[in-house]
Amino acid sequence: MIIYDCIATLEPLPESLVVVTKKQLDMNAAKGGLVIFTANSNPSSRELGKRIAERLGVELGKVQVYQEANRETRVQIQESVRGKDVFIIQTVSKDVNTTIMELLIMVYACRTSCARNIIGVIPYFPYSKQCKMRKRGSIVSKLLASMMCKAGLTHLITMDLHQKEIQGFFNIPVDNLRASPFLLQYIQEEIPDYRNAVIVAKSPASAKRAQSFAERLRLGIAVIHGEAQDAESDLVDGRHSPPTVKNMGAIHPSLEIPLLIPKEKPPITVVGDVGGRIAIIVDDIIDDVDSFLAAAETLKERGAYKIFVMATHGILSSDAPRLIEESAIDEVVVTNTIPHEIQKLQCPKIKTVDISMILSEAIRRIHNGESMSYLFRNIGMDD
């Protein structure tokens, strides 16, 4: 009774003070509900996470990721994530399989620690090239997507998937961001005479991407046709297994299947004029550089006086830096979706474009429940 009388005699707070107090509580709740982890134990791969955290004005979450003596991955989260939005930034290091296990174990650890949402920020999605059936192989991208969802991932942020259809492998929301605005900005700001350039597709398969770049830069386009067969050709597709050999003993005469005409690669031709122009080759991934070197030699023979290569993901494995340094390519421009500091030391031709800005904005919008459409403005499906 005494407590009731005391409360009843209190004067109500001014309305302005109530509003301010409520806003402060909302801001504090939003600030406390966001945690950013980097799942990669490789120090060189943590740089992107630090850039994103600095742009958001937060500190990276405390977590310990390391390898046991028997190469088992161990993850220890050193702060509470209960009821919070957890963003796990994972860049792909040279040891891809260890990278995947680090991510899966950290996602599962956050799930068992009662995190509200677990969002994976994976700028380069590993095994993205294995997204089609190849003879008696498997669609590894589908397997990896299932593993991530099963571990507890509730949302995925990635960039320039090798095939956009990979989004269909997930049963969670997937935001496939684009790096093309940053690469276009680099062309406009770092290539003084880019108006004398032509956008080049090193194969007909990448013609749509080249067309999208050319239309937004108001430039011409050229397509190289007849290059050497690569590993992703239709010849290794499951549709050619078993071999198309006519066997009258195995096939009923009424069900005779016509023989397929084998493909023949035509001589290398360049559709478009590159003489006296700057050639800018665009693609999504640059890993094995043999096809890029062959394209550069062809363009040089056709009269191009400068050759640039623009790609989102610079894997640049094996001897790629040395081969680029000795080639006719003048500059290779990639984003920092994959750490490549060692490759840059080996080859000064490699330049980096920072894309942490769009990743940090995506994280902020998802955490605040805002629309993601702003990040896709003026973005074509062919980028």
Side-chain angles (χ1 to χ4, degrees), residues 268-301:
I268 293 180
T269 57
V270 178
V271 181
D273 182 21
V274 297
R277 312 282 289 277
I278 299 173
I280 303 176
I281 304 173
V282 296
D283 212 335
D284 62 330
I285 300 173
I286 175 169
D287 184 8
D288 182 6
V289 297
D290 289 343
S291 60
F292 291 92
L293 301 183
E297 290 294 335
T298 302
L299 294 171
K300 208 73 174 180
E301 293 173 359

Side-chain angles (χ1 to χ4, degrees), residues 65-299:
V65 183
Y66 59 94
Q67 306 296 320
E68 297 279 10
N70 61 353
R71 300 296 297 167
E72 288 185 0
T73 300
R74 183 175 291 273
V75 174
Q76 294 182 352
I77 298 175
Q78 299 174 330
E79 63 179 87
S80 175
V81 297
R82 181 180 295 272
K84 297 181 180 180
D85 290 338
V86 178
F87 292 84
I88 302 176
I89 301 171
Q90 180 67 312
T91 55
V92 178
S93 61
K94 188 176 182 180
D95 191 351
V96 179
N97 297 326
T98 300
T99 298
I100 293 171
M101 285 306 301
E102 287 176 352
L103 174 66
L104 294 176
I105 294 173
M106 180 169 286
V107 169
Y108 190 66
C110 293
R111 175 186 176 185
T112 55
S113 298
C114 301
R116 181 175 62 179
N117 293 307
I118 307 171
I119 300 94
V121 183
I122 311 172
Y124 170 68
F125 189 76
Y127 286 97
S128 59
K129 286 188 175 182
Q130 299 189 44
C131 59
K132 297 180 181 178
M133 179 63 71
R134 304 297 184 189
K135 283 193 175 179
R136 296 172 184 85
S138 60
I139 305 176
V140 185
S141 294
K142 170 63 175 174
L143 171 64
L144 190 55
S146 300
M147 292 168 63
M148 290 181 180
C149 296
K150 189 67 176 179
L153 209 66
T154 61
H155 200 131
L156 176 66
I157 301 174
T158 187
M159 180 166 284
D160 282 344
L161 287 170
H162 186 58
Q163 297 290 338
K164 298 176 181 63
E165 291 78 9
I166 294 176
Q167 297 175 82
F169 295 159
F170 292 85
N171 55 10
I172 59 175
V174 177
D175 288 313
N176 182 27
L177 304 177
R178 306 292 198 274
S180 57
F182 298 91
L183 298 176
L184 291 169
Q185 184 181 21
Y186 184 92
I187 293 174
Q188 294 173 322
E189 295 180 355
E190 302 297 331
I191 304 178
D193 48 348
Y194 81 93
R195 289 294 180 186
N196 188 37
V198 58
I199 306 298
V200 179
K202 68 180 180 66
S203 67
S206 56
K208 286 186 176 180
R209 178 184 296 270
Q211 181 182 359
S212 177
F213 273 65
E215 289 177 350
R216 286 193 280 179
L217 290 171
R218 308 295 192 269
L219 298 176
I221 183 175
V223 180
I224 299 176
H225 182 53
E227 77 282 2
Q229 197 75 31
D230 57 18
E232 294 194 56
S233 66
D234 287 338
L235 293 180
V236 296
D237 196 295
R239 290 172 293 181
H240 291 268
S241 178
T244 55
V245 178
K246 190 174 182 181
N247 188 346
M248 294 302 296
I251 302 176
H252 193 276
S254 62
L255 300 176
E256 182 176 341
I257 300 175
L259 291 175
L260 296 176
I261 301 174
K263 292 183 179 180
E264 293 184 5
K265 296 297 294 183
I268 293 180
T269 57
V270 178
V271 181
D273 182 21
V274 297
R277 312 282 289 277
I278 299 173
I280 303 176
I281 304 173
V282 296
D283 212 335
D284 62 330
I285 300 173
I286 175 169
D287 184 8
D288 182 6
V289 297
D290 289 343
S291 60
F292 291 92
L293 301 183
E297 290 294 335
T298 302
L299 294 171

